[in-house]
Amino acid sequence: MKLFITYGFLFFSLIICFKPSPLYGKGEADKAKNYFEEGAYKDALMEWNKLIETGNTTAALYYNIGLTESKLHHTAEALLAFEKALRIKPGSRLIQQAIELERENINTATIPVNPFFLKEWYKQLIMLLRPGFWVVLGLLSLLIVLIRFLINQRHKPGQWSIDLKRSRFLIAGGFLLLLIGFLSYGELNRDNEAIIGKPCSFRQAPSVDSPTIKEIGEGEKVVLVDQIGDWYNVYLLNQDAGWVKSDCLWPITIGN
């Protein structure tokens, strides 16, 4: 019970004390929203991208960019933005539905294979908070242990082994939160996925003389496996494997 209360306090403190301040003024966000509602999609897109340049990489912002690109009939750009939003909030049904709807505009789109549910749960867990939040929460947990240890040693010196034993769950929890923070960072910044930015030949081998398996439409998502020169070995969402030229790919990376 005490452990639950302690972590409840830590989580509440993190939300209150370390709530990220907006990196842009409310007026700028309102301007983009007004442009979008008025149908001035290019102006709205310009404002959304300005916010990205300030370092504001939220799922909501990428989702807004995706909607705006979709209104402009830019399928690849829209899916790139939606995939970035999904990277930040992997459990969002709203973003998933936007992706499914936009994929209907891809020529000869592949039929995705449903991912393993445990893998999806894992992503949703570690992305519940941004990496820095997990790390700060873990450090606060270990700081509480240190403070308790110093206070107890001052009043009852020589009982450090007893103090550490009593705090073992808090210590383990602190290191677990730090681990989740590092895993969250790795998930957020991985570079093994991309969107096909233009119609591209999907070949059996990394050569223009290799037989073409199929033509991939712009907007298709691929998983990057290997690279040889200007060629990437990729998997499509239906698990088909092949090679594409690097100039076809738009990496799904947060902050760009």
Side-chain angles (χ1 to χ4, degrees):
M1 185 63 180
K2 289 182 178 180
L3 190 63
F4 177 80
I5 293 174
T6 299
Y7 277 115
F9 172 75
L10 284 174
F11 187 82
F12 180 77
S13 300
L14 186 66
I15 297 299
I16 298 298
C17 300
F18 295 91
K19 183 178 180 180
S21 58
L23 298 178
Y24 55 93
K26 187 175 183 296
E28 293 175 279
D30 288 342
K31 184 188 296 185
K33 180 181 177 183
N34 291 337
Y35 279 141
F36 183 86
E37 292 175 347
E38 293 169 0
Y41 301 124
K42 291 184 179 180
D43 292 328
L45 187 60
M46 185 181 301
E47 294 300 324
W48 294 133
N49 284 322
K50 283 181 182 178
L51 301 182
I52 289 290
E53 291 172 2
T54 66
N56 181 55
T57 55
T58 65
L61 182 50
Y62 280 123
Y63 178 75
N64 289 338
I65 291 174
L67 290 179
T68 309
E69 294 283 16
S70 180
K71 291 292 186 180
L72 293 169
H73 306 291
H74 299 162
T75 298
E77 290 85 346
L79 284 167
L80 180 63
F82 286 143
E83 287 291 348
K84 292 181 179 183
L86 191 65
R87 176 77 62 84
I88 298 171
K89 289 183 69 70
S92 172
R93 186 56 189 158
L94 181 65
I95 300 173
Q96 291 171 356
Q97 289 175 341
I99 291 173
E100 292 170 4
L101 185 62
E102 194 64 32
R103 281 184 56 81
E104 294 178 2
N105 298 322
I106 302 176
N107 294 327
T108 64
T110 60
I111 300 176
V113 175
N114 291 328
F116 186 44
F117 73 96
L118 287 180
K119 184 178 181 180
E120 293 304 300
W121 287 358
Y122 163 79
K123 288 182 182 179
Q124 293 176 33
L125 171 63
I126 65 175
M127 295 307 299
L128 187 61
L129 297 174
R130 295 296 282 266
F133 278 62
W134 287 116
V135 170
V136 171
L137 195 58
L139 292 175
L140 283 175
S141 178
L142 296 177
L143 181 61
I144 289 175
V145 173
L146 178 61
I147 292 173
R148 286 176 55 182
F149 175 77
L150 294 176
I151 292 174
N152 290 338
Q153 284 300 300
R154 183 174 182 180
H155 292 90
K156 297 179 181 179
Q159 297 187 12
W160 60 271
S161 60
I162 297 176
D163 291 339
L164 291 178
K165 185 176 181 181
R166 289 174 178 174
S167 301
R168 63 186 183 278
F169 292 112
L170 202 57
I171 295 172
F175 282 111
L176 178 61
L177 290 169
L178 290 175
L179 175 60
I180 294 176
F182 288 116
L183 293 174
S184 177
Y185 179 84
E187 172 65 21
L188 185 67
N189 294 284
R190 59 191 173 88
D191 57 359
N192 67 331
E193 293 179 335
I195 293 293
I196 298 295
K198 62 180 182 180
C200 188
S201 296
F202 190 56
R203 299 182 182 276
Q204 292 181 3
S207 170
V208 292
D209 297 325
S210 175
T212 299
I213 300 173
K214 62 180 292 187
E215 294 295 328
I216 310 177
E218 58 181 300
E220 195 67 73
K221 181 181 177 181
V222 297
V223 177
L224 311 180
V225 180
D226 196 8
Q227 180 181 11
I228 297 178
D230 292 333
W231 292 86
Y232 275 91
N233 183 211
V234 303
Y235 279 98
L236 301 179
L237 293 182
N238 62 357
Q239 300 302 308
D240 285 350
W243 294 83
V244 298
K245 290 293 292 293
S246 59
D247 59 1
C248 296
L249 301 174
W250 292 352
I252 301 173
T253 53
I254 305 302
N256 297 316

